[in-house]
Amino acid sequence: MPCTPNAGNSNNARNVNTDGTLNNNNAYIGSGGVRPDLEEFATEYGDEPESREPQQRRAYPSRMGKHKIADVKASADGALTISGKEVFILHEDHTSLSDFERMADFNNLYAAYLDARKGKRWKLAVARFEVNVLENITYIHYMLTTKKYKLSPYNCFMVHEPKERLIMYNSFRDKIVQHSLCDNVLEPRLQKTFILDNYASQKGKGTHFGLGRLKKFMRDYYRHYGADGWVLKCDVKKYFYSIDHDILKSQIRRHIHDPDVLWLIDMIIDSTEGKGIPIGNHTSQWFAVLYLSGMDHFIKEQLRIKYYGRYMDDFYLIHHDKEYLKYCLSEILKYVEKLGLELNGKTSIFPLYQGIDFLGFRTYMTESGKVIQKIRRDSKNRIRRKLKKFRKLLDEGRIDFENILASYTSWTGHAGHGNSHHLIRRMDELFYSLFSKELEGYHGKTNINVERWRRREIGQHKV
């Protein structure tokens, strides 16, 4: 409904007849109110609305600050213009948008910005972007819709835990674009094609979901076959660095057909020369999950393996027949060879009673059918080294106790998903011995069981 500055001063603007007109001529006086828009009313009663030019509206000063009065015009296609200059496209009906329009929509880009900045607002690049966030997002929208968008150069660094990897990442602007691409195109288009037991990079799944499925598989296997069985454990060699660009593009085109989205995806894939995709890209997680999705269906539907699970490049098969697992291994080798991949030396077939090393835990089954999950030995050694290093960094003033608590609490929460009660108690002893002084005066909110430590101290000394 059109609006005038004094519309709120007159009751006549709200007293209308059944035909949509006011009860007097005040409908035509700007100081007395406004005449309601009859288009929706006429359509409701079967009348065709009169054809007219797009409505002219005027933006007035806001109480939030000083603004210049400018003519604002919304065209029929949703383009918003201020003083003759197009700003961005306003879309009210998101169901009619193409994949690219949905990804490049201003509101979706802003939501992607909110996701991309989580945990990073202290960084200089994020702070600079945030100073003029609306202008920057409008500029991203303009660059995408005009096909002038290009990726910024990669920055690189190495990580050494749990193993050495090269991490490549783009600018914060590129992270926003990739977040929007994943949330509005890749996730809704690709996730519905994945099997349930593909656990990586999907909402509602993850490491703990995969561990729960493995435990369920072992219990179900015991009810059907007992404790005797065999496991085929596989791992792909240098998975991210071996993904073929052309094969990946052909897989994506089976599910995504919008040429504008494919233009952006191809640009991201071809941003590195030769084989491989950067581990630091947000899109790389979805590309890697998709790349072996066909193998998931092959193992489940053609090889008929019921007890199968995969997390990125790490997967297992459980079966009661060792010879059939050997046949499955030969078929899997043929399949991954077509994708330009190969399995590494960790791939092997072994008895089920030895347990399965998967997602940071060793899961095994007793003769009575009880399933036990214990955290891996290298994870135990890593947290011991980490706590001792934290003590040194704290003494040097390079870290605060809040961050140490957050890190240790995260590890205990992860370890608590398995049968790790005694391990956590031993780690608590080490933690309390290293940081007893800080814990004495600590009164902040935390998930760490400080009260257990205090009860232990009281138990040693009669009160």
Side-chain angles (χ1 to χ4, degrees):
M1 179 180 289
C3 180
T4 57
N6 297 320
N9 297 334
S10 175
N11 292 328
N12 291 328
R14 293 180 288 275
N15 297 330
V16 297
N17 299 320
T18 56
D19 61 354
T21 62
L22 294 178
N23 58 3
N24 54 33
N25 292 330
N26 288 342
Y28 300 92
I29 302 175
S31 62
V34 295
R35 180 168 183 159
D37 193 339
L38 300 183
E39 179 176 339
E40 181 178 352
F41 180 87
T43 305
E44 181 180 354
Y45 286 90
D47 298 331
E48 289 295 326
E50 297 179 2
S51 61
R52 58 187 181 183
E53 293 298 319
Q55 181 64 44
Q56 295 284 344
R57 292 178 289 177
R58 185 168 294 277
Y60 288 89
S62 167
R63 284 179 291 181
M64 300 299 292
K66 296 181 179 179
H67 300 279
K68 293 182 179 179
I69 298 177
D71 289 328
V72 180
K73 182 178 179 180
S75 63
D77 62 355
L80 179 65
T81 59
I82 298 179
S83 299
K85 182 181 293 185
E86 181 173 304
V87 180
F88 51 81
I89 306 299
L90 294 175
H91 293 289
E92 295 181 358
D93 184 9
H94 283 252
T95 59
S96 62
L97 301 180
S98 67
D99 285 343
F100 186 78
E101 290 171 336
R102 189 179 302 108
M103 185 275 300
D105 179 74
F106 181 88
N107 292 328
N108 289 335
L109 287 172
Y110 187 81
Y113 150 73
L114 295 178
D115 285 338
R117 76 175 188 177
K118 289 179 180 177
K120 306 181 185 73
R121 297 186 72 181
W122 58 271
K123 293 186 176 181
L124 181 60
V126 180
R128 285 176 174 171
F129 189 93
E130 199 166 15
V131 170
N132 297 305
V133 58
L134 296 182
E135 292 182 10
N136 289 330
I137 293 177
T138 302
Y139 180 70
I140 293 175
H141 169 85
Y142 168 77
M143 296 296 285
L144 287 171
T145 54
T146 57
K147 299 292 184 66
K148 295 180 180 179
Y149 173 79
K150 292 183 180 180
L151 288 171
S152 60
Y154 283 102
N155 299 305
C156 305
F157 66 92
M158 298 294 296
V159 296
H160 304 279
E161 292 288 348
K163 61 183 179 181
E164 190 171 278
R165 290 189 179 97
L166 174 65
I167 307 298
M168 303 173 64
Y169 65 96
N170 294 110
S171 67
F172 184 68
R173 181 200 66 170
D174 298 322
K175 292 181 185 295
I176 293 173
V177 173
Q178 293 188 26
H179 268 274
S180 184
L181 175 62
C182 292
D183 294 344
N184 297 290
V185 180
L186 295 183
E187 180 178 349
R189 293 291 182 185
L190 301 182
Q191 188 169 12
K192 59 187 178 183
T193 68
F194 300 152
I195 66 171
L196 177 64
D197 293 299
N198 182 351
Y199 309 127
S201 302
Q202 301 167 65
K203 292 179 181 178
K205 295 186 180 181
T207 56
H208 298 145
F209 178 82
L211 289 169
R213 289 288 292 176
L214 176 55
K215 183 180 287 188
K216 179 181 180 299
F217 283 160
M218 284 192 166
R219 288 171 176 167
D220 189 70
Y221 181 91
Y222 181 82
R223 287 194 291 268
H224 287 84
Y225 305 103
D228 295 330
W230 297 89
V231 178
L232 169 59
K233 184 68 167 53
C234 302
D235 194 358
V236 179
K237 182 179 180 181
K238 296 187 179 299
Y239 181 47
F240 278 82
Y241 307 118
S242 303
I243 292 178
D244 186 275
H245 291 186
D246 294 331
I247 297 175
L248 177 59
K249 290 177 186 178
S250 65
Q251 291 181 350
I252 290 173
R253 278 162 171 75
R254 297 172 192 166
H255 310 290
I256 298 174
H257 309 290
D258 189 322
D260 295 327
V261 173
L262 294 175
W263 160 77
L264 179 60
I265 290 176
D266 289 349
M267 181 196 303
I268 295 173
I269 293 175
D270 293 332
S271 60
T272 55
E273 297 181 357
K275 278 189 172 184
I277 55 178
I279 294 180
N281 275 356
H282 192 57
T283 52
S284 295
Q285 304 300 314
W286 283 99
F287 294 158
V289 173
L290 172 67
Y291 201 68
L292 285 177
S293 180
M295 185 192 71
D296 298 336
H297 289 276
F298 173 73
I299 293 174
K300 283 277 192 179
E301 298 162 11
Q302 296 189 36
L303 297 181
R304 312 294 292 178
I305 298 295
K306 181 179 180 181
Y307 308 115
Y308 165 79
R310 177 173 74 91
Y311 190 96
M312 208 58 81
D313 60 338
D314 194 12
F315 58 96
Y316 64 86
L317 295 77
I318 303 175
H319 201 268
H320 61 278
D321 188 349
K322 182 179 180 181
E323 294 301 318
Y324 186 70
L325 284 183
K326 290 181 179 179
Y327 166 75
C328 291
L329 176 59
S330 64
E331 293 298 311
I332 291 172
L333 287 171
K334 295 176 185 176
Y335 193 97
V336 298
E337 186 179 359
K338 296 177 184 177
L339 299 177
L341 304 174
E342 59 178 307
L343 303 181
N344 62 20
K346 299 178 183 177
T347 301
S348 61
I349 299 175
F350 52 86
L352 180 59
Y353 68 81
Q354 291 184 7
I356 302 175
D357 196 356
F358 188 63
L359 298 179
F361 284 80
R362 189 161 195 84
T363 306
Y364 62 94
M365 185 169 55
T366 65
E367 292 183 358
S368 62
K370 181 179 179 180
V371 179
I372 298 174
Q373 290 181 326
K374 291 191 173 182
I375 202 161
R376 286 165 44 173
R377 181 175 298 176
D378 59 348
S379 180
K380 302 176 192 177
N381 296 333
R382 192 158 52 244
I383 190 62
R384 287 192 185 99
R385 293 195 303 267
K386 200 171 186 179
L387 290 177
K388 293 175 182 177
K389 184 178 181 180
F390 280 158
R391 178 70 260 180
K392 182 179 179 181
L393 294 176
L394 183 63
D395 292 337
E396 295 174 354
R398 296 166 59 187
I399 193 173
D400 56 45
F401 188 59
E402 290 283 348
N403 289 334
I404 296 174
L405 274 176
S407 178
Y408 182 66
T409 302
S410 175
W411 182 87
T412 54
H414 174 65
H417 281 80
N419 304 87
S420 307
H421 174 75
H422 297 291
L423 171 65
I424 294 175
R425 287 289 298 271
R426 291 195 299 270
M427 289 300 167
D428 282 347
E429 293 291 332
L430 175 61
F431 184 84
Y432 300 148
S433 65
L434 290 172
F435 303 102
S436 58
K437 181 180 178 181
E438 287 75 18
L439 286 170
E440 285 285 1
Y442 186 78
H443 300 290
K445 184 179 179 181
T446 177
N447 292 327
I448 192 171
N449 198 341
V450 178
E451 290 301 321
R452 184 172 66 214
W453 171 76
R454 288 173 179 160
R455 286 198 300 270
R456 184 204 65 175
E457 293 297 313
I458 293 172
Q460 290 181 357
H461 305 89
K462 292 184 179 180
V463 177

